[in-house]
Amino acid sequence: MAQKPSIPKGTRDFGPAEMAGRNYIFDTIKSVFRTYGYMPIETPSMENLSTLLGKYGEEGDKLLFRILNSGDAFSGVDIGGFMDGDGGIDGRALTSRVCEKGLRYDLTVPFARFVVQHQNELVFPFKRYQIQPVWRADRPQKGRYREFYQCDADVIGSRSLLNELELVQIVDRVFSLFDVAVLIKVNNRKVLSGLAEIAGFPDKVVDITVAIDKIDKIGLEAVEAEMRERGLTDAAIAVIEPVLTLKGNSSEKIAAMRALMSGGSASGLVSETGLKGLDELDELFGLIGAAGISREVEMDLSLARGLNYYTGAIFEVKAVDFQIGSICGGGRYDNLTGIFGLPDMSGVGISFGADRIYDVLKGLDKFPKEVTSSTRLLFANMGTDELKYILPVARALREAGVSCEIYADTAKLKKQFDYAAKKHVPFISITGAEEISRNVVNLKNLATGEQVSVPSSDLNGIISFLFA
């Protein structure tokens, strides 16, 4: 029996219509990146596991796709040496033995590796953008895939908060071009570190951030229960809980948090780290106000971002009118290149989730109509003589950058019209013996029914009608 064709769960095929939409997303985002001076790079799909492990936290490490070593990866491996105390196999230890590489989890860690490896070739601050797929061994669900594209922009080698502002401006511009209403959420990991300090558990900042990062998914009570499971006391949770429900504008929230970080919480503890984070947020929101950002920008003290490498400002973007997870996120990282031997190289970046943005644009019917077709004009095939007549016209149009097709067969006109309709081709040319005798081509707008005859030598006239 023939094998039923299938693809792995969490991955997708993309046909011409989907690719047209995705390329529209990529091209729009690239165009905005370039206006802020970002240049493109690419890195390999696979990285050494030593590059990836330990950069995303324990949960992130579990989601790494590992690649078996070339050849017979298990040759010479004593499986008995990997048995655990219960007689089972220690899968983690065995995997480490037979896998030295993995598919990249994101684009930021490979970027940090790239910066260190090529530091002598780069001009700092270095601004790069990167649009490539990443892989995560996650449970597939709506808006969450195992293979998906990220569109990243990062600047490294500068601590200026102007970089954070520019990333907010990029988000603002991109979603203005997409005509999608979004909410931009901002927080600072120093504030979260300060929160752990005034709660009396400075060593639990990762546990706290991992827990509160789930607040939108599981709710406040479940987050508090998870913090208890992670070893926090009820007294510590009592310090943290009011912060997660704090109301007001950014200035009011910063003022309230400054009072808490200065010894005003139930613990009476002071956090200089937290106060530094509040200073950065105050400066950033001042820049945002001066820049005239059109999108709503909100300070969200429950925003944590699950990745461990963030150290300063963090961002998350959500669609206002479409129910889906975050469609963009990022933040400041101070220590990432230090892991690879280049300390004191601070960076900040943002990542657009192209797959979720596609779902949003499709769900809100925001794709421009012209995106669905790459062909502007279809020449109907009326016969051999007519074909020879229109071939030079089609060549001239293509050389001028106009996409056009000639229907391959001398089929009935209805079939050729159906082809144009199904491919969303907006114009058709039905040029027969009568048009040839007058040295013209017939052009018809399929949406309006308007029809004209233009001299075949008048390339500008033809183009004018096609793009009127």
Side-chain angles (χ1 to χ4, degrees), residues 77-232:
V77 176
D78 179 12
I79 301 296
F82 295 92
M83 305 297 287
D84 60 26
D86 298 325
I89 294 177
D90 185 344
R92 180 172 296 186
L94 179 59
T95 300
S96 299
R97 173 67 172 79
V98 299
C99 299
E100 297 173 354
K101 296 174 287 294
L103 295 177
R104 59 172 172 246
Y105 178 94
D106 73 349
L107 300 178
T108 307
V109 169
F111 170 58
R113 188 268 309 154
F114 174 93
V115 168
V116 176
Q117 195 167 339
H118 299 274
Q119 57 186 288
N120 295 326
E121 307 161 25
L122 306 177
V123 176
F124 294 100
F126 177 55
K127 301 172 102 173
R128 83 85 170 86
Y129 74 81
Q130 192 171 350
I131 298 179
Q132 289 186 273
V134 299
W135 294 266
R136 297 181 186 177
D138 212 342
R139 182 173 66 86
Q141 53 187 291
K142 181 182 179 182
R144 188 179 295 274
Y145 309 102
R146 287 175 171 165
E147 179 188 53
F148 56 96
Y149 268 74
Q150 289 186 332
C151 308
D152 280 22
D154 287 74
V155 53
I156 196 162
S158 169
R159 297 181 184 275
S160 171
L161 288 174
L162 177 61
N163 299 310
E164 275 86 339
L165 170 65
E166 286 192 351
L167 294 177
V168 174
Q169 289 176 304
I170 286 172
V171 170
D172 182 38
R173 179 60 179 157
V174 165
F175 288 105
S176 292
L177 292 173
F178 288 147
D179 189 28
V180 171
V182 296
L183 170 64
I184 305 172
K185 295 186 175 185
V186 181
N187 199 7
N188 192 297
R189 287 295 283 256
K190 293 185 180 71
V191 174
L192 294 171
S193 295
L195 187 59
E197 290 177 6
I198 65 173
F201 287 87
D203 59 330
K204 293 281 189 180
V205 63
V206 172
D207 293 289
I208 293 171
T209 55
V210 167
I212 69 175
D213 193 47
K214 302 174 183 176
I215 193 167
D216 286 343
K217 301 174 185 175
I218 64 177
L220 181 59
E221 289 186 7
V223 166
E224 291 177 352
E226 182 167 333
M227 285 193 285
R228 288 188 186 93
E229 292 173 3
R230 291 177 176 270
L232 273 75

